[in-house]
Amino acid sequence: MIGVFAALVISITDGDTFKARISVWDGIEVVTAVRLRGIDTPEIKGKCPAEKAAALAAKARLTELLNGQVQLLHVEPDKYAGRVDADVLVDGKSVAAVLVAEGLARPYTGGARQG
């Protein structure tokens, strides 16, 4: 979808995905999962304790950053049904860039994820 969409964060799934109520048109809202474009965070269901701890830290930080209203740009269908990929901004700042700068996420452009 082209444009900037206002969204209200409903819940945080993990370090790079959340559920939101998105205003797509005047009086029309959609609830869907949103994945932060361009990053990957550790998996909560990871195989080692260190990955699980890092995943929980990323989720906690995303929870802090997405406290309420956000803006979504460049919204596109994700490779998994039921969610979209988007650039997510809070107060004009890229949430993905903050997570990468803080060492809680790494850049991701697709393909097999690293361990």
Side-chain angles (χ1 to χ4, degrees), residues 89-105:
L89 303 180
V90 173
D91 296 329
K93 296 179 186 173
S94 166
V95 174
V98 170
L99 292 172
V100 170
E102 293 179 0
L104 296 167

Side-chain angles (χ1 to χ4, degrees), residues 3 24-25 32 34 38-40 43 62 74 79 99 103 105:
V24 295
W25 199 275
T32 190
V34 179
I39 66 166
D40 187 38
E43 298 298 323
L62 186 62
H74 309 114
K79 64 183 177 182
L99 292 172

